[in-house]
Amino acid sequence: MSKTGISSPFIQSVDNKIRKMIPLTPETPNSRAVSASLVKLGNMPGALLPVLHDIQDTLGYIPPECVDQIGQALNLSRAEVHGVITFYPHFHTTPKGAVHIEVCRAESCQAMGSAQLEAHIRQATGCDMNSTRADGQVSVDAVYCLGLCAQSPNIMINGEPCAHVTPQVFDELYREHTEAVSV
């Protein structure tokens, strides 16, 4: 018996009936990409994180309208899926720009001048922290440790970690990445 006085099989039975009542996500390009990830990875033990990573790698973000679809396929509640997505800062629920810059704000980077670098990045990109520029081409986000503490300050640009970043180094990296995506 649970603390509520209802046996666990009963709770599970009711829970499964509730899950079956959730309508399926309408067929969209995003739902097709999510389905492909679920088919590829959904049967492995502990599939939620690999599925979420695959969806984000494919779409660039995890569409909120597909959370029910993910939960149904993995026999998880919407709250469980949403909780994992919002717990890990790596996952995004909105698209990021073609150039995505992550600026480390951990203690080591702060001690080595990340605040000044962050100000330079905001000025150079025209994008505030934790936002996407109005044209949708550049996103800048704060992160808390990229694992390169001995080489601070650090950023990640389009998934590529960069160490010992100065404003001059940033300008060169930014130029390379914007040229590569024609921002």
Side-chain angles (χ1 to χ4, degrees):
M1 286 286 214
S2 70
K3 291 182 180 180
T4 62
I6 302 172
S7 67
S8 293
F10 177 78
I11 292 171
Q12 188 170 11
S13 172
V14 170
D15 194 33
N16 287 336
K17 287 179 186 173
I18 291 169
R19 286 190 184 129
K20 289 178 184 172
M21 292 188 304
I22 298 170
L24 293 174
T25 304
E27 185 74 13
T28 66
N30 285 345
S31 70
R32 284 191 292 277
V34 169
S35 292
S37 294
L38 289 164
V39 167
K40 180 170 53 173
L41 301 167
N43 288 326
M44 63 189 306
L48 181 57
L49 283 174
V51 164
L52 293 176
H53 280 287
D54 192 60
I55 292 167
Q56 183 150 302
D57 289 347
T58 301
L59 299 174
Y61 73 112
I62 300 167
E65 70 272 11
C66 294
V67 170
D68 286 336
Q69 178 185 3
I70 297 164
Q72 285 179 349
L74 299 178
N75 200 28
L76 299 169
S77 71
R78 176 178 177 75
E80 290 169 310
V81 176
H82 178 74
V84 170
I85 292 168
T86 57
F87 178 78
Y88 292 104
H90 171 75
F91 296 126
H92 310 291
T93 56
T94 57
K96 295 296 177 181
V99 177
H100 182 209
I101 302 157
E102 296 170 277
V103 182
C104 183
R105 284 187 171 171
E107 290 80 1
S108 176
C109 286
Q110 287 182 36
M112 296 302 289
S114 67
Q116 294 83 2
L117 178 61
E118 182 181 308
H120 178 79
I121 290 170
R122 285 194 320 267
Q123 189 271 330
T125 63
C127 188
D128 287 328
M129 292 301 291
N130 301 313
S131 67
T132 299
R133 200 167 63 194
D135 65 5
Q137 294 300 302
V138 178
S139 298
V140 180
D141 289 310
V143 295
Y144 295 88
C145 197
L146 294 171
L148 300 168
C149 301
Q151 302 167 19
S152 298
N154 305 299
I155 66 167
M156 190 169 313
I157 187 163
N158 289 351
E160 177 186 326
C162 306
H164 296 297
V165 180
T166 63
Q168 296 77 22
V169 168
F170 173 79
D171 290 343
E172 180 62 25
L173 291 166
Y174 184 61
R175 185 189 58 72
E176 290 171 10
H177 281 83
T178 53
E179 286 176 1
V181 297
S182 302
V183 172

